[in-house]
Amino acid sequence: MDCADGVAVLRLNRPQALNAFTAELLATLRETLERLGADESVRAVVITGEGRAFCAGQDLSDPHVAPVPGEAPKDIGYLIEHFYAPMARALRACRVPTVCAVNGVAAGAGLSLALGCDLVVASEKASFVLGFNKIGLVPDAGSTWLLPRLVGRARAMELALLGDKLSAADALAWGLINRCVAPDALLEEAKALAARLAVLPTRALVRTRQLLDEAQTLSFGEALKAEGVAQSELGFAHDYREGVEAFMQKRAPRYTDR
Ligand code: T3D
């Protein structure tokens, strides 16, 4: 991981295994997201993968998880509850904005990680595949929640039931991601977006993510009420005063709230 100008770049670093998840990698990712969110010097996080893949999802060769001939089946639910769900929650609750730089294939829970970020930039070489249908499981790590919201039920069903690989260009056309760029430009584009987020009022950005997510299950009236509660809270905070003052004084604001 490296950090400059408030932007931390986090790299999944198991390139020999297409950055497939192990319990250890999931725990490290969760801990790192929590630590970065609590670090006042970090104002945005970029997540990317080392090597040719972004993340191939669960490492299916891990004997602690995968079925081993002659051995009793393991309870995958344990892994989901103790490793995948906490990682997905940490991402969703991250106290700073997150940007995913999808450098290659994002499969299974790797897709969930990529799409769980606030903004998603993909290399033209990247692709997205759920793949759970081919191993007798259901989509997880938040993708059943994310996908219908991002692309609607019909396309979510297609991705989940047929399990075809979606190119980055098609992912952009479907509204699954925010940008599709040349491979050489990927990291710079993701960092540039993160740098823009890093100088904005962090607390308000994170509250915005929360409101947009929660509004999906609220009535219009309830959403109005939730917006009012958030505005009330933020209206007493430093960044609102600073933002208005800086606007009136025609200077750059200095936001500090978390
Ligand atoms: O226990 C649980 O499963 C619960 C947790 C669930 C969360 C999940 O994420 S489940 C979903 C797991 N992931 C998958 O099902 C994806 C499986 N992989 C693929 O579909 C493809 O490999 C990819 C689309 C990711 C990449 O395709 P491609 O053509 O670029 O590469 P490849 O040739 O298929 O793979 C290269 C190597 O990586 C190959 O090994 P080899 O032949 O060179 O020795 C392949 O077996 C290995 N590999 C790819 N994905 C995984 C993997 N090894 C272990 N686990 C993987 N997920």
Side-chain angles (χ1 to χ4, degrees):
M1 192 198 61
D2 57 86
C3 187
D5 301 325
V7 175
V9 180
L10 221 164
R11 291 182 172 79
L12 304 178
N13 196 9
R14 300 188 69 229
Q16 72 287 0
L18 304 188
N19 299 317
F21 285 128
T22 57
E24 189 190 356
L25 177 55
L26 288 162
T28 304
L29 184 54
R30 176 184 59 76
E31 283 159 16
T32 309
L33 286 167
E34 287 170 354
R35 181 168 50 77
L36 293 176
D39 182 339
E40 299 279 317
S41 71
V42 175
R43 299 184 58 85
V45 173
V46 172
I47 303 178
T48 192
E50 280 294 339
R52 76 172 176 92
F54 173 67
C55 174
Q58 170 62 37
D59 189 331
L60 298 173
S61 66
D62 180 355
H64 295 105
V65 178
V68 177
E71 280 186 17
K74 289 112 189 162
D75 180 4
I76 300 176
Y78 181 88
L79 184 76
I80 302 298
E81 187 184 339
H82 293 276
F83 293 93
Y84 280 99
M87 182 279 287
R89 275 196 205 98
L91 183 63
R92 206 90 219 127
C94 191
R95 291 172 64 195
V96 295
T98 53
V99 178
C100 192
V102 190
N103 51 301
V105 65
L111 176 149
S112 314
L113 168 63
L115 303 185
C117 291
D118 296 327
L119 297 176
V120 186
V121 188
S123 150
E124 286 161 354
K125 283 190 178 164
S127 55
F128 299 83
V129 57
L130 275 176
F132 295 89
N133 61 330
K134 295 181 184 128
I135 55 170
L137 294 179
V138 295
D140 64 15
S143 51
T144 58
W145 187 90
L146 280 166
L147 281 173
R149 284 171 166 77
L150 287 169
V151 294
R153 186 173 187 276
R155 284 177 161 167
M157 287 295 275
E158 183 172 338
L159 285 171
L161 299 192
L162 298 180
D164 292 337
K165 221 186 241 186
L166 193 70
S167 69
D170 285 343
L172 182 66
W174 280 26
L176 200 65
I177 61 173
N178 302 95
R179 305 266 196 284
C180 174
V181 299
D184 290 351
L186 177 69
L187 205 52
E188 284 319 305
E189 178 72 20
K191 280 189 190 173
L193 284 176
R196 284 179 59 186
L197 296 168
V199 296
L200 290 169
T202 306
R203 183 165 157 192
L205 298 183
V206 171
R207 281 296 263 137
T208 302
R209 174 209 294 146
Q210 194 188 3
L211 283 171
L212 288 173
D213 287 346
E214 288 175 0
Q216 300 288 333
T217 52
L218 299 182
S219 68
F220 185 63
E222 289 166 335
L224 286 175
K225 207 165 184 177
E227 290 167 5
V229 170
Q231 293 298 50
S232 171
E233 173 197 312
L234 294 170
F236 286 113
H238 164 270
D239 283 356
Y240 173 58
R241 279 196 308 280
E242 170 63 8
V244 174
E245 201 173 286
F247 176 78
M248 298 309 286
Q249 294 173 357
K250 300 188 189 308
R251 63 169 173 81
R254 287 177 298 271
Y255 296 117
T256 54
D257 287 337
R258 295 300 281 259

